[in-house]
Amino acid sequence: MSDTKIAGDFLSLLAERHLLPSDPAQARGAPVETQATTVFAFHYADGVLMAGDRRATAGNVIVTDRVEKIIEVDSTSLLAVAGVPATAFEMARVLQTSFEYYRRSQLQPLSLPARVRALARLLRDNLPMTLQGIGVVVPLFAGVDHGVSPPQARIYFYDPLGAQFQAVGYAASGSGAGTIRSVLSFQERHAAAKPSQMNLREAVRFALALLNTASEFDAATGGVNPAAETYATIKVLQPAGVETVAERQQEEFLHD
Amino acid sequence: MTEEPYRWLEAMANRREYVRDQLKGGSPVFAASLPDGILLLGVGGGQSKVFELFDRHALAGLGHPADIEKVRQAAIDAAHLEAFTRAAEDVSLRRLIGFGLSPQLKTQFDQIFSAPFLVELLLAELGAEPGRDLLFRLHFDGAFSVQSGGAVMAASQPEAESAGQSWLNEALRDKTSRAEVVDLLLQAWWCQVQNKWLAESVPGPAQRQTGWREAVRGKTVEIGWLARHGPRHARYTPLTLAELGL
């Protein structure tokens, strides 16, 4: 990374003060890392819905069923983390601070392409940890593109090395992603109720069903269990910004 | 020069006079604590005067735009580094000003062979309740004062500022509506720029209202609002006169 400070770039400021979060050349022979799965995003009628289960595992141990994997980076960006939470949450924190720092210091918001690349840059910087097999993160990102009229919410997915791709209809990541992608593909192509045409209520119910389906085939994916008051983390991104679908609202939608 | 006390004092007095002279005619800025948040207001001719610093913090200032920008950038850098290395809840104006901005301004002012900062500033920190709102008045020489709640004004001339401040505290008592408060702040702004505070009597409400409406034509009224309650961490939003029904 360059030592030259770039205007409005929070990572440059951190580097200047020797406060960059991680030294990748560490941690050989680390213990089994905690992993987080499964997250997905799809377009629905009013924007993008992003959801994730709340389970974190280490090997075959369930560490917790209360992880928040869908993170509001700023008022027009969402991040879904799959992989090692320690690295993923640190990336989210860097992005949150970077975007707000840029907006406040430069008096304008960061463009969507720049926000997408900022995450790619963090993944690239995490490459040594990825190659060692620890600290792997494969996130999803959703942001509002204000470069088009009217503004539109878009979905991006990444590979662990930082390559970025725009998803046309949907994207999924984590150990349950295969199941999710299969169902989403079938639903969009062949079913009468296409996700891209669903309203919020239908989209939330569909997202909860998707997670339950994934949890039937993947032990690392926590499903939805109303009896234990375990729901998903669901956020929607519309051109106007981010909204959270709270657990109580999910419960209402499920019982309609 | 520094080993001769008289010349040192003279140099300092000259600098103070120079800064005040440069700032003369600067458009004053205001901050007022309300039950639902903090309002900041400034009237400019193109250059911004009211800025968001961090989640619950904002700044308003008058002076040379380049100097305001340096202070603003230093405050934003410090606030974001503090929030990143500790937590957003640890960002406090008391520390930011007391240990950061104030010493820097003082050092710059004392270095008699370099140019002093041409700024007069006020900074606001939103509390969980109105009684915990903090309004700071920071001067070009690093001196600062703080008050909890109420209203604060920053102007270029200390005597007029003091008179305007007294009027504001009286006029804003028990006022809770944002539109009403903005109207009164703009009346105070008009009195300040028209140098009415030190006249024998302050003009009546109708004259003050007509006065500010005519005076802001062709200028930009900047209003910043730090909302006490909201779903997001960042509580600052810019407002317009039209949004407030003015």
Side-chain angles (χ1 to χ4, degrees), chain A residues 59-112:
Chain A
N60 59 355
V61 175
I62 296 171
V63 177
T64 174
D65 269 329
R66 286 286 182 272
V67 179
E68 297 276 341
K69 301 176 192 174
I70 310 300
I71 298 162
E72 182 178 335
V73 181
D74 66 8
S75 62
T76 58
S77 309
L78 285 173
L79 178 71
V81 295
V84 176
T87 314
F89 291 148
E90 191 66 4
M91 284 182 183
R93 216 161 66 85
V94 170
L95 288 183
Q96 282 171 328
T97 314
S98 297
F99 293 178
E100 290 292 47
Y101 176 76
Y102 181 89
R103 184 179 63 78
R104 288 172 179 141
S105 65
Q106 305 301 301
L107 301 174
Q108 65 177 44
L110 201 59
S111 68
L112 180 60

Side-chain angles (χ1 to χ4, degrees), chain B residues 77-213:
Chain B
D77 282 4
H80 286 76
L81 282 170
E82 175 75 4
F84 186 78
T85 50
R86 294 194 175 93
E89 290 76 6
D90 293 301
V91 177
S92 80
L93 280 187
R94 207 177 279 281
R95 293 172 57 238
L96 189 62
I97 294 172
F99 309 142
L101 300 180
S102 170
Q104 282 176 41
L105 285 170
K106 170 83 166 65
T107 303
Q108 191 72 20
F109 183 72
D110 286 349
Q111 286 174 349
I112 53 179
F113 293 112
S114 65
F117 276 71
L118 304 175
V119 289
E120 286 290 355
L121 304 161
L122 58 83
L123 298 97
E125 178 175 297
L126 186 74
E129 53 199 52
R132 290 164 66 184
D133 286 349
L134 293 177
L135 304 177
F136 285 79
R137 178 73 177 85
L138 178 61
H139 297 273
F140 59 85
D141 60 359
F144 68 91
S145 56
V146 58
Q147 72 177 56
S148 176
V152 172
M153 168 181 181
S156 55
Q157 305 305 313
E159 300 82 11
E161 179 180 314
S162 173
Q165 180 78 55
S166 304
W167 182 87
L168 259 186
N169 286 338
E170 194 60 39
L172 290 178
R173 186 168 296 162
D174 302 328
K175 297 286 188 297
T176 56
S177 144
R178 290 191 302 187
E180 204 174 8
V181 170
V182 166
D183 181 40
L184 284 165
L185 293 180
L186 283 166
Q187 290 179 33
W189 171 80
W190 178 76
C191 288
Q192 181 72 31
V193 295
Q194 294 294 321
N195 210 13
K196 302 287 188 190
W197 298 131
L198 303 178
E200 279 189 11
S201 63
V202 176
Q207 193 183 348
R208 293 195 305 262
Q209 281 184 325
T210 311
W212 78 251
R213 286 188 184 281

Side-chain angles (χ1 to χ4, degrees), chain B residues 20-36:
Chain B
R20 293 229 164 97
D21 187 57
Q22 291 293 307
L23 291 173
K24 196 158 50 181
S27 176
V29 291
F30 304 86
S33 166
L34 305 180
D36 294 335

Side-chain angles (χ1 to χ4, degrees), chain B residues 1-47:
Chain B
M1 182 183 289
T2 51
E3 62 271 12
E4 295 179 51
Y6 174 74
R7 291 186 66 191
W8 166 259
L9 290 173
E10 189 184 25
M12 286 293 110
N14 287 345
R15 274 169 91 74
R16 204 170 290 279
E17 194 179 329
Y18 163 75
V19 174
R20 293 229 164 97
D21 187 57
Q22 291 293 307
L23 291 173
K24 196 158 50 181
S27 176
V29 291
F30 304 86
S33 166
L34 305 180
D36 294 335
I38 297 177
L39 259 175
L40 295 101
L41 182 140
V43 182
Q47 300 289 348

Side-chain angles (χ1 to χ4, degrees), chain A residues 122-143:
Chain A
L122 291 180
L123 290 168
R124 245 189 345 265
D125 290 348
N126 191 48
L127 182 58
M129 298 285 271
T130 303
L131 291 176
Q132 288 179 66
I134 52 174
V136 181
V137 178
V138 191
L140 305 176
F141 185 85

Side-chain angles (χ1 to χ4, degrees), chain A residues 207-225:
Chain A
L208 294 172
L210 275 174
L211 274 179
N212 268 341
T213 306
S215 71
E216 287 175 16
F217 297 98
D218 175 35
T221 297
V224 176
N225 183 2

